[in-house]
Amino acid sequence: MKKKVFITRSILSAGIDLMKDKGFEVEMSSIDRPLTYSELVEKARHFDALITMLGDRIDANFLEQNKHLKVISNYAVGFNNIDIEKARSLQIAIGNTPDVLTEATAEVALGLMISAARNFHSSQTSAAQGLWRCWSPTDHLGHALSNKTLGVIGFGRIGHRLAEMASAAFKMRVIYTARTLKTNSFNAEKVSMEELLKRSDFISIHVPLTSDTRKFISERELGLMKSSVVLVNTSRGEIIDQVALIRALKNKKIFAAGLDVTDPEPLPIDSELFLLSNAFILPHIGSATFEARSEMSLMAAENVIAGLEGGELKGRVV
Ligand code: NAP
Ligand code: GLV
Ligand code: GLV
């Protein structure tokens, strides 16, 4: 019997071709929305492996009802949507896609730093509203990146790559927090969270979402930051207390925020964040390049193949 793989959303074809070449039967969801939780619980019963998206909730109940699965390959590097301990206890392999999206996501973080610091959102809006009457010597003033201090919270693959870009392109000084000391070629300095919050001109968040990092940035942390700081988040929305962030942006306690991730996602259109001139919001597009998404397709498929054939997953979480 052919092994059966279900992909919960339509993905680029590289990985699908690979799995078909291996002789697997591959079905891909053709509807233009995520399956609901109960649709996915039911659907998974008929397959040996899944390729899941970061919004698919793979909790203990889902896994309990689908213990027959050999492998779940998440089409993302983050895996906070999956109950890892439960998967481990049921011996279901869990894969992810590290490295291949590092460049794409670091580019978005750098883009958000520039966009938020240089008022891209409010400037574009004012021009489109007919307020661009003449060149102005004093309108739309923002903060330079060059020679400033960048604080990276979570100096892993993406945080390190962003720091490298900022250091090379803008001669930024880099300070970071992580649980362990990291080597780097641009004199980035490991500091305490408090020191990072106080010293940074730009702060970019790159820790994974875990029980330790949920609401990592709340009222107290925002209060320690400089009023000129630009805060960027490309990790997960829940790492910031969004109510506290909105208050800080409104009261100009911080200069601006650039967010690729929000809490919840999608961000409701009536969210106050969309009304703030100092918030620059993207709809979670960090890995959305043709290059990264194609490599993610391949890597997610390779993880499925390894999981079904008893090999070692390249991106193995469990
Ligand atoms: P990574 O290489 O695992 O880096 C995570 C870093 O966070 C590590 O340096 C780790 O430090 C640090 N860390 C973990 N827990 C911490 C804690 N409690 N306190 C301080 N530091 C902590 O992961 P990555 O590949 O860079 O990805 C990071 C995250 O980005 C993913 O988890 C995902 O949520 C997000 N992401 C978003 C997009 C997007 O589209 N916006 C795309 C890709 C990824 P140690 O090494 O010392 O443990
Ligand atoms: C995207 O957010 C990812 O975790 O890959
Ligand atoms: C601006 O466009 C300048 O020429 O300084």
Side-chain angles (χ1 to χ4, degrees):
M1 269 257 288
K2 277 189 170 185
K3 292 271 201 292
K4 293 175 72 179
V5 183
F6 180 65
I7 311 174
T8 68
R9 292 295 300 279
S10 178
I11 64 171
L12 297 185
S13 63
I16 302 168
D17 298 342
L18 192 70
M19 291 187 289
K20 285 184 175 162
D21 287 348
K22 280 277 174 189
F24 299 147
E25 198 176 304
V26 181
E27 182 180 326
M28 186 159 71
S29 175
S30 53
I31 51 173
D32 192 23
R33 62 160 174 85
L35 271 69
T36 65
Y37 179 74
S38 48
E39 283 172 343
L40 191 53
V41 169
E42 188 47 44
K43 188 79 185 174
R45 292 187 204 286
H46 313 287
F47 294 85
D48 303 292
L50 303 178
I51 292 183
T52 50
M53 306 300 126
L54 54 87
D56 295 328
R57 179 157 54 93
I58 311 295
D59 60 8
N61 171 63
F62 179 99
L63 293 166
E64 194 58 53
Q65 295 203 45
N66 283 289
K67 334 174 160 56
H68 66 280
L69 288 168
K70 292 279 171 292
V71 52
I72 299 176
S73 173
N74 216 32
Y75 192 76
V77 67
F79 47 82
N80 52 287
N81 57 314
I82 301 177
D83 187 329
I84 295 305
E85 286 319 311
K86 185 72 181 176
R88 198 190 311 277
S89 73
L90 294 171
Q91 295 187 318
I92 300 171
I94 303 294
N96 70 342
T97 60
D99 300 312
V100 294
L101 42 53
T102 294
E103 202 68 20
T105 311
E107 285 175 2
V108 165
L110 188 62
L112 284 171
M113 283 167 58
I114 300 174
S115 306
R118 297 298 305 274
N119 301 308
F120 279 10
H121 174 62
S122 56
S123 308
Q124 206 263 354
T125 306
S126 97
Q129 287 172 344
L131 298 173
W132 184 8
R133 298 201 186 89
C134 56
W135 183 87
S136 160
T138 51
D139 285 349
H140 310 304
L141 299 186
H143 293 283
L145 281 77
S146 295
N147 302 306
K148 298 284 178 64
T149 297
L150 167 64
V152 179
I153 298 180
F155 204 59
R157 289 170 291 247
I158 300 169
H160 177 274
R161 183 63 187 119
L162 169 71
E164 193 174 49
M165 288 177 179
S167 165
F170 299 108
K171 299 189 173 65
M172 294 184 86
R173 266 181 308 282
V174 179
I175 56 181
Y176 71 90
T177 64
R179 292 170 302 189
T180 52
L181 192 66
K182 310 285 178 190
T183 54
N184 65 86
S185 56
F186 41 89
N187 296 320
E189 180 194 354
K190 186 169 185 289
V191 297
S192 69
M193 183 73 162
E194 183 148 336
E195 186 174 348
L196 182 140
L197 297 170
K198 287 181 176 164
R199 275 179 58 192
S200 299
D201 301 303
F202 288 76
I203 295 177
S204 191
I205 300 175
H206 300 282
V207 284
L209 176 61
T210 64
S211 51
D212 290 339
T213 63
R214 190 173 295 274
K215 301 221 166 129
F216 222 32
I217 302 298
S218 296
E219 184 98 47
R220 177 183 164 274
E221 289 71 27
L222 288 160
L224 291 172
M225 295 177 193
K226 294 183 182 181
S227 58
S228 57
V229 81
V230 172
L231 176 63
V232 166
N233 188 8
T234 57
S235 186
R236 287 291 180 268
E238 294 88 336
I239 293 167
I240 299 181
D241 176 345
Q242 202 163 278
V243 173
L245 174 65
I246 290 171
R247 210 178 303 126
L249 287 167
K250 259 182 165 168
N251 299 336
K252 306 276 179 340
K253 291 269 184 217
I254 68 170
F255 184 74
L259 309 175
D260 186 44
V261 289
T262 58
D263 178 19
E265 291 185 9
L267 186 64
I269 50 166
D270 60 357
S271 166
E272 272 190 282
L273 275 177
F274 284 126
L275 301 174
L276 293 171
S277 60
N278 53 353
F280 191 94
I281 315 294
L282 297 174
H284 204 147
I285 64 165
S287 67
T289 62
F290 294 105
E291 293 82 358
R293 289 284 166 85
S294 183
E295 296 231 22
M296 287 163 69
S297 171
L298 268 180
M299 189 164 184
E302 284 164 359
N303 286 338
V304 165
I305 294 166
L308 290 178
E309 294 186 339
E312 194 47 49
L313 275 66
K314 225 198 252 174
R316 176 183 276 281
V317 179
V318 175

